[in-house]
Every structure is written in C-alpha cells, then in structure tokens.
Amino acid sequence: QKEVEQNSGPLSVPEGAIASLNCTYSDRGSQSFFWYRQYSGKSPELIMFIYSNGDKEDGRFTAQLNKASQYVSLLIRDSQPSDSATYLCAVNPYQLTFGKGTKLSVIP
Amino acid sequence: ETGVTQTPRHLVMGMTNKKSLKCEQHLGHNAMYWYKQSAKKPLELMFVYNFKEQTENNSVPSRFSPECPNSSHLFLHLHTLQPEDSALYLCASSQDGGTLSTDTQYFGPGTRLTVL
C-alpha cells in the first residue's frame, strides 16, 4: 500500500526563520513529488514540484529530494505569517497519493 | 472564469435527499478528479476521468455517482448519503490523467458538504 507520511505538527517558527517540512514515502517507484499549501477552509494550491534528486529552488521555497532515502522536504526561507497553513506532500507513481499534511504556524 | 470552479460551495442535505456537485475546468486539461477531504485524514481520491472515460474508482460507495459529459465538466451525484460522508469535496484537473509522471493537478475551491 502506498503511503506518504508527514509530521502533523503544528510546527511553529518565528517570523524570518527557516521552516523545514518533511515527508517520507513508501513506493520506490514514485517519480514525481509535489508540495501543496492549503489555508484553513480553502483548497490546496500547488507550490512546487520536483522530479530529480537534489534541490529545486523557487523564490523563498526549496524542495529537496532524496530517492534513496525516500525522503522529500520543503524549506521556506524568511518565513512570513502569511505562510501559516497546512502543507501537503503528494507523491506520484501513477496517481497522486497525499500525506495528511503538516500545519505550519509562523509567529510574528 | 479561470482555473477550476465548483458549485455549490456549501451544501447541507438530509440523508434521503438527492443532490449534485458540479465542477468545471477552464484550463484545457484532459483529466478531471474527485477527492474527498475529511478532518485529520489525507485527501482521498474517489474518481478519475481521462478524456471523459472513467479510469479510476477507488472503491467508492454507489451512493456517489460521477458523470463526465466532456473534458471540461464533471459532476458528482449524491443520494442517500450518511452523516460520515460530510466532508470537503474537491475537484481537480490535469493535462494527462497521470499517464505522465510530470502531470500536475490543480484544484477547485471545493464544496463543503454536511449530511444531516
């Protein structure tokens, strides 16, 4: 059974700090990895995706992938209160399998 | 309209009612999805349609009946639901229906369903 595990949090970081969100997955055949942000009462919105081992940067966001360890992470630099949301990790060997999400709280 | 739209945004229904959820995508995508999101549970894929053909049905009870008349529209017909079916129902679309690993899904705003 395909599983995607995330620490549910809440993860609290001070404004301006780096927030680190982690995700592990069970299916070694997974090829693409997505991070979605979901504000309370809203739908998930795509932040970024990563396919290859290593880092991928987009503005304040960096996704890191290590397929050997079956681990993907999202770093948010210079965290802002507006980053407070639940972050969903999704993994795609065929159809997306989502984790339960990590709730991030950025404290002003 | 842009992106993926869903109506209604909120729905309250009794267990004997019949109602329908509607989704429309304006992205030119070929695949559409229904997901269920309940509190403290991960997003659950319910149905996938690729070029109007259903390609996934994740053991969803028959009280949920999807319909996809074309690649831009998707419906979820509801009848004799149970209180545990109360959840946020999300529609999504993507270009290729998951046939390519790079396929990316975009979500609509969701319908918050309450079954009394």
Side-chain angles (χ1 to χ4, degrees):
Chain A
Q1 184 173 351
K2 307 167 196 171
E3 290 184 352
V4 177
E5 299 289 340
Q6 295 181 257
N7 187 325
S8 61
L11 173 66
S12 295
V13 300
E15 184 174 355
I18 295 176
S20 178
L21 304 162
N22 305 316
C23 173
T24 59
Y25 59 95
S26 62
D27 189 336
R28 284 195 170 273
S30 301
Q31 299 180 42
S32 51
F33 307 85
F34 302 81
W35 284 100
Y36 286 84
R37 176 176 62 199
Q38 187 173 24
Y39 291 112
S40 180
K42 303 294 185 182
S43 62
E45 56 177 323
L46 181 70
I47 297 175
M48 63 190 305
F49 51 82
I50 185 168
Y51 309 133
S52 303
N53 273 332
D55 295 359
K56 179 181 179 182
E57 187 174 316
D58 184 359
R60 295 187 296 113
F61 298 96
T62 299
Q64 299 176 316
L65 175 61
N66 184 326
K67 288 187 177 181
S69 300
Q70 295 176 247
Y71 176 92
V72 58
S73 64
L74 180 70
L75 301 179
I76 306 174
R77 289 182 301 281
D78 188 24
S79 295
Q80 301 297 308
S82 59
D83 295 325
S84 298
T86 297
Y87 289 80
L88 306 177
C89 172
V91 173
N92 186 358
Y94 173 56
Q95 295 293 357
L96 279 184
T97 300
F98 284 84
K100 292 182 180 181
T102 297
K103 186 173 183 179
L104 173 67
S105 179
V106 180
I107 311 300
Chain B
E1 296 276 20
T2 59
V4 181
T5 59
Q6 290 186 243
T7 55
R9 297 293 305 277
H10 300 273
L11 178 63
V12 179
M13 59 187 290
M15 290 191 285
T16 58
N17 292 159
K18 290 185 179 181
K19 296 287 184 182
S20 295
L21 310 184
K22 178 183 176 182
C23 175
E24 184 173 0
Q25 60 95 1
H26 309 268
L27 300 169
H29 289 164
N30 297 310
M32 298 187 76
Y33 309 75
W34 280 117
Y35 286 88
K36 176 184 179 182
Q37 188 174 36
S38 305
K40 302 190 185 303
K41 295 178 70 175
L43 275 166
E44 300 173 59
L45 179 64
M46 300 175 71
F47 302 104
V48 181
Y49 279 82
N50 202 8
F51 292 96
K52 302 188 302 178
E53 298 297 321
Q54 187 179 123
T55 56
E56 292 278 339
N57 176 341
N58 274 4
S59 302
V60 180
S62 59
R63 57 185 183 268
F64 294 92
S65 175
E67 178 189 0
C68 187
N70 54 61
S71 294
S72 298
H73 294 86
L74 184 65
F75 296 88
L76 188 63
H77 304 299
L78 315 172
H79 63 98
T80 60
L81 294 192
Q82 304 298 310
E84 59 264 30
D85 296 322
S86 298
L88 180 66
Y89 288 84
L90 292 160
C91 174
S93 72
S94 72
Q95 185 63 48
D96 294 303
T99 53
L100 295 177
S101 61
T102 54
D103 201 40
T104 301
Q105 293 183 25
Y106 296 89
F107 286 85
T111 295
R112 173 68 63 185
L113 174 66
T114 302
V115 181
L116 301 177

